[in-house]
């Protein structure tokens, strides 16, 4: 919604809506007793309109998580999961260099499929044996029969789920350049730049 207004393919109604939004945004600080905090997040800051950038007094780049923070993210994602004693989340965090929070979630979902897949395969084999022996199909397993996640599940998931962002990618380079120009302590504060870029 708050992309550059000079975009040639943009409809006039969208430009008017942005202007109205920013006019109202300017009025947020007019009453002393009312405090409004505007917090915005985007992975495409270079598409923002200049007027929006000016209205955001602090701009902080949140980089990909380091090993310590990846471990914290894993603990949150897996907070309600039953883990086997051999699971070492610090080791998993160290394996996942360059993973985003979303990548870590995908890794955990892929690992969680392993015990389910084992139960489904076991049920299938038991049904086939029952058919061959002309017996009734055995009862299906329940959620209580699912084993805890173990370290081999995470190793398998690591082979399946890669980091979705490379630190060498053009998108990361663009983000770093934008942060250098507009971010907290960026070069824009050190040198005067033309209002029209």
């Amino acid at each position: 919604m708050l992309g550059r207004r000079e975009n040639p393919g943009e409809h006039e109604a969208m430009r008017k809506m942005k202007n109205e939004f920013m006019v109202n945004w300017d009025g947020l600080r007019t009453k002393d007793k009312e405090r409004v905090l505007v917090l915005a997040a985007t992975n495409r800051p270079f598409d923002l309109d200049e007027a929006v950038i000016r209205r955001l007094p602090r701009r902080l780049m949140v980089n990909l998580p380091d090993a310590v923070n990846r471990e914290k993210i894993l603990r949150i994602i897996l907070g309600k999961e039953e883990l086997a004693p051999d699971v070492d989340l610090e080791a998993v965090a160290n394996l996942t260099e360059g993973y985003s929070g979303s990548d870590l979630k995908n890794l955990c979902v892929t690992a969680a499929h392993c015990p389910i897949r084992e139960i489904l395969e076991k049920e299938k084999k038991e049904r086939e044996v029952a058919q061959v022996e002309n017996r009734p199909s055995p009862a299906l397993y329940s959620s209580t029969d699912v084993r805890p996640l173990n370290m081999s599940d995470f190793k398998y998931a690591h082979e399946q789920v890669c980091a979705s962002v490379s630190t060498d990618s053009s998108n990361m380079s663009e983000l770093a350049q934008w942060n250098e120009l507009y971010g907290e302590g960026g070069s824009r504060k050190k040198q005067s730049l033309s209002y029209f870029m």
Side-chain angles (χ1 to χ4, degrees), residues 124-172:
K124 183 180 175 185
K125 284 180 186 174
E126 289 176 1
R127 265 195 320 269
E128 288 170 355
V129 168
Q131 263 185 334
V132 168
E133 295 176 355
N134 207 15
R135 289 184 289 122
S137 292
L140 297 176
Y141 290 96
S142 71
S143 60
T144 57
D145 299 315
V146 177
R147 69 166 172 76
L149 293 173
N150 60 35
M151 199 62 181
S152 64
D153 297 329
F154 287 101
K155 288 178 181 173
Y156 168 81
H158 183 257
E159 292 170 7
Q160 305 302 311
V161 178
C162 305
S164 60
V165 179
S166 167
T167 52
D168 300 331
S169 72
S170 62
N171 191 40
M172 288 301 284

Side-chain angles (χ1 to χ4, degrees), residues 74-84 108 111-112 115-116 146-149 154:
L74 287 167
R75 289 193 187 285
I76 290 168
I77 294 170
L78 298 167
K80 295 180 180 177
E81 297 298 320
E82 190 178 346
L83 302 176
C108 293
I116 306 291
V146 177
R147 69 166 172 76
L149 293 173
F154 287 101

Side-chain angles (χ1 to χ4, degrees), residues 1-99:
M1 179 181 145
L2 298 175
R4 296 181 184 278
R5 284 173 288 182
E6 62 269 15
N7 183 354
E10 186 173 68
H11 194 274
E12 182 63 27
M14 190 65 175
R15 256 186 237 119
K16 287 181 180 179
M17 185 176 68
K18 286 179 192 178
N19 289 337
E20 186 65 29
F21 183 85
M22 286 189 264
V23 165
N24 286 306
W25 193 347
D26 286 338
L28 288 177
R29 293 194 219 172
T30 55
K31 297 178 183 173
D32 290 337
K33 293 183 182 178
E34 291 182 12
R35 299 213 172 201
V36 177
L37 172 68
V38 177
L39 181 66
T42 180
N43 58 355
R44 299 200 47 86
F46 27 83
D47 290 343
L48 291 174
D49 191 89
E50 283 284 326
V52 172
I53 295 170
R54 283 194 307 275
R55 284 170 173 81
L56 295 167
R58 298 201 58 195
R59 294 168 293 272
L60 306 170
M61 182 170 171
V62 179
N63 217 332
L64 291 171
D66 60 10
V68 172
N69 286 309
R70 287 193 303 274
E71 183 180 351
K72 289 177 184 176
I73 292 168
L74 287 167
R75 289 193 187 285
I76 290 168
I77 294 170
L78 298 167
K80 295 180 180 177
E81 297 298 320
E82 190 178 346
L83 302 176
D86 74 328
V87 173
D88 181 0
L89 291 181
E90 183 180 351
V92 175
N94 288 329
L95 278 174
T96 54
E97 182 68 36
Y99 279 50

Side-chain angles (χ1 to χ4, degrees), residues 167-185:
T167 52
D168 300 331
S169 72
S170 62
N171 191 40
M172 288 301 284
S173 299
E174 287 175 335
L175 287 170
Q177 287 173 355
W178 191 92
N179 188 53
E180 177 61 30
L181 186 61
Y182 294 103
E184 194 77 7

Side-chain angles (χ1 to χ4, degrees), residues 77-78 102-117 149 154 157 161:
I77 294 170
L78 298 167
S102 178
D103 297 333
L104 293 172
K105 183 177 180 190
N106 290 339
L107 177 94
C108 293
V109 167
T110 302
H113 285 155
C114 292
I116 306 291
R117 196 175 300 116
L149 293 173
F154 287 101
V161 178

